[in-house]
Amino acid sequence: MSTAVEVMDALAEVSDAEDAVFLQRYFKTGPGEYGEGDVFIGVRVPATRAVAKRFADLPLDEIGALLDSEVHEHRLAGLIILNRLFDRASRPRARDDEQRERLAAFYLAAVRRGRVNNWDLVDLSAPNVLGAYLVDRPHDLLFALAASDALWERRVAVLSTFAFIGRGDASTSLALAERLLGDREDLMQKAVGWMLRELGKRVDRAVLVGFLDAHAAAMPRTMLSYATEHLSPAERAAYRAAR
């Protein structure tokens, strides 16, 4: 049976010291930055995915050991493996609802322990695990996460709704966007604007326009910019002028 240590060793074999320096800058790990204290060993995402693929049957407690590591790439590999396990448990011909519930609870616990703690980790996992689990369930949990003081819990709430948008449901994305209009974090403004843009593209453009008509004047510049990216230059200018 594979172990977290074996995954860590495999990642170390493909790590690069120069990439580690670049990634630490890219993910803002300096004092006062959003990724303060995060540690990188210098493994790019494709290489991390390749390693994770080799350990697709890693036991859940070993995934937990990866998520508890201070090394970013260890946590990323753990989440990639968790995504694969959830996808496997969700396949129509072999759907395992007990496993899905177990994996979603495991993921939520990791989020609340602060182990899903950078934007790439959230964006990779939230729609594919928690969002996919909640598609046909009440979404109250996401509103609780959106009310958290923790940036990454709020981002998990918003990014989880990407799964709903994919199913043609914009309602929760809109409700969370309305509640988070005043969020001061740049990464939250980007996340909310991104989901608004996607629901306009994938669900109903008119729904996005209606939201913008009602709320553009109160939206932070970054959120508004992301939400209107695919609109015409004239439409974008009109919404910017409304602020």
Side-chain angles (χ1 to χ4, degrees), residues 26-28 30 32-36 117-119 151-152 185 187:
Y26 183 74
F27 285 100
K28 308 294 185 184
E33 296 182 310
Y34 63 74
E36 181 176 358
N117 57 349
N118 216 314
W119 60 263
L151 162 63
W152 306 119
E185 290 283 356
L187 284 171

Side-chain angles (χ1 to χ4, degrees), residues 177-197:
E178 191 167 13
R179 292 193 182 198
L180 292 166
L181 283 175
D183 200 300
R184 303 173 75 92
E185 290 283 356
D186 180 70
L187 284 171
M188 286 305 302
Q189 295 174 16
K190 290 177 178 177
V192 172
W194 177 16
M195 291 303 101
L196 288 170
R197 180 189 71 209

Side-chain angles (χ1 to χ4, degrees), residues 12-243:
E13 289 176 3
V14 293
S15 64
D16 179 273
E18 290 187 5
D19 279 345
V21 173
F22 167 78
L23 292 169
Q24 299 233 171
R25 288 198 305 266
Y26 183 74
F27 285 100
K28 308 294 185 184
T29 63
E33 296 182 310
Y34 63 74
E36 181 176 358
D38 208 350
V39 176
F40 287 80
I41 59 173
V43 186
R44 298 292 182 124
V45 173
T48 303
R49 287 188 179 277
V51 168
K53 188 175 182 179
R54 291 163 46 193
F55 296 93
D57 293 315
L58 194 69
L60 209 53
D61 59 341
E62 297 297 322
I63 295 175
L66 290 175
L67 294 182
D68 285 337
S69 171
E70 68 173 0
V71 174
H72 186 99
E73 291 94 337
H74 295 170
R75 301 195 303 281
L76 178 61
L79 290 169
I80 291 170
I81 297 168
L82 187 66
N83 277 0
R84 290 177 176 272
L85 290 176
F86 194 88
D87 181 67
R88 189 183 309 164
S90 302
R91 292 173 184 169
R93 292 187 178 181
R95 185 179 172 103
D96 185 340
D97 286 329
E98 288 186 7
Q99 175 74 336
R100 282 164 50 87
E101 184 172 357
R102 186 181 306 115
L103 295 173
F106 174 88
Y107 176 74
L108 180 60
V111 169
R112 286 176 164 161
R113 291 201 320 276
R115 307 316 300 154
V116 186
N117 57 349
N118 216 314
W119 60 263
D120 63 321
L121 304 180
V122 171
D123 298 1
L124 167 90
S125 58
N128 296 314
V129 180
L130 191 59
Y133 177 72
L134 293 174
V135 158
D136 53 1
R137 291 174 171 81
H139 301 167
D140 299 11
L141 170 62
L142 299 186
F143 291 92
L145 289 173
S148 172
D149 291 335
L151 162 63
W152 306 119
E153 291 187 22
R154 300 200 305 278
R155 189 165 173 113
V156 164
V158 172
L159 264 292
S160 292
T161 70
F162 207 172
F164 313 154
I165 291 170
R167 297 288 189 93
D169 177 10
S171 60
T172 303
S173 302
L174 291 168
L176 288 177
E178 191 167 13
R179 292 193 182 198
L180 292 166
L181 283 175
D183 200 300
R184 303 173 75 92
E185 290 283 356
D186 180 70
L187 284 171
M188 286 305 302
Q189 295 174 16
K190 290 177 178 177
V192 172
W194 177 16
M195 291 303 101
L196 288 170
R197 180 189 71 209
E198 292 304 314
L199 71 86
K201 290 167 59 178
R202 300 167 185 263
V203 181
D204 190 337
R205 185 181 185 279
V207 171
L208 169 61
V209 169
F211 185 92
L212 293 172
D213 288 345
H215 299 293
M219 292 173 70
R221 185 179 301 277
T222 298
M223 186 186 297
L224 183 62
S225 177
Y226 271 65
T228 58
E229 272 183 353
H230 70 292
L231 300 183
S232 71
E235 288 172 313
R236 292 199 303 271
Y239 284 123
R240 285 197 301 271
R243 294 182 71 253

